[in-house]
Amino acid sequence: HWQRRVPLELHHAFFPQGEPAALPAEAAWARHERAPFLGTTIRRLAPEDRLLYLCAHGTWHRWAKLKWVADIAGLLARRPALDGDALRRRAKDGGALRRVRLGMGLARELLGAPVPAGWRRDLDSDPVLSKLIRTVRAQWLYTYRTTDADPWTTLRFQLRARERWRDRWAFLRRQLPLLLG
């Protein structure tokens, strides 16, 4: 029956090739936790690493699915003792701080998700964040899929979602040949 189907997305890497290693795989798996899954026990990312991944993944796809925001809201609700300092350190080191802010900001604004202590000020102080949230909301209202957006709109969104100039430049170097080719 369709009610018993469990969608499972398999990835061979956390991020697309060439994307800065916001979440180095070896370190992330060293911090793993064990969880029950369909009658067995599996390894899964620690909650801070899961949140970092979910936020970067959603941003990469321009938050095409509300489900991704709900995943973040659910994780924040189930893990109130999330280590906000470790998350901030990993996100900052990997150049993904704005992407984490965006994911948490969307979850807070749209679904009332609780935000870890110390992150409220981060969300409220980022001048680009509210523009990104408005962009995501508008895309849900006015387009059916993010693939409907022109490539230059996507490029501008991705550049604004990166807080470090070196990450913006690296992204631009990878994407311009695709856009111009």
Side-chain angles (χ1 to χ4, degrees):
H1 290 94
W2 66 269
Q3 294 96 339
R4 294 185 189 161
R5 290 185 184 170
V6 176
L8 182 62
E9 235 182 276
L10 298 176
H11 292 261
H12 60 85
F14 289 128
F15 301 104
Q17 187 173 4
E19 185 70 8
L23 186 59
E26 191 172 303
W29 285 121
R31 294 186 293 264
H32 78 277
E33 64 182 19
R34 299 213 171 266
F37 181 75
L38 299 176
T40 189
T41 301
I42 61 167
R43 292 185 323 155
R44 70 177 179 192
L45 296 173
E48 297 79 13
D49 292 331
R50 268 198 323 271
L51 186 60
L52 175 57
Y53 171 77
L54 289 170
C55 291
H57 179 260
T59 302
W60 179 259
H61 294 289
R62 289 188 57 212
W63 300 97
K65 298 179 181 179
L66 181 59
K67 176 203 176 316
W68 295 332
V69 177
D71 288 344
I72 291 168
L75 178 59
L76 290 171
R78 285 189 312 275
R79 297 293 185 133
L82 191 87
D83 187 344
D85 293 335
L87 174 62
R88 182 180 289 102
R89 190 173 45 257
R90 289 177 204 153
K92 188 174 182 181
D93 289 349
L97 191 55
R98 181 164 292 143
R99 288 174 268 179
V100 171
R101 287 176 182 157
L102 178 56
M104 282 200 280
L106 286 165
R108 177 181 74 170
E109 185 173 313
L110 300 175
L111 301 174
V115 175
W119 279 85
R120 288 176 200 90
R121 192 176 326 117
D122 271 10
L123 298 182
D124 296 334
S125 68
D126 187 332
V128 177
L129 187 61
S130 61
K131 293 175 189 169
L132 289 169
I133 289 173
R134 281 196 307 272
T135 299
V136 171
R137 291 176 69 159
Q139 107 191 344
W140 286 336
L141 290 173
Y142 302 116
T143 64
Y144 293 107
R145 298 182 313 271
T146 57
T147 54
D148 294 337
D150 74 272
W152 297 102
T153 300
T154 298
L155 179 68
R156 281 191 305 275
F157 179 86
Q158 291 298 337
L159 291 174
R160 285 194 332 229
R162 286 155 175 75
E163 66 272 8
R164 298 188 312 199
W165 281 103
R166 69 178 186 217
D167 295 332
R168 291 176 187 154
W169 178 242
F171 181 81
L172 193 58
R173 277 195 332 245
R174 287 189 312 276
Q175 295 303 311
L176 272 182
L178 300 172
L179 292 170
L180 300 174

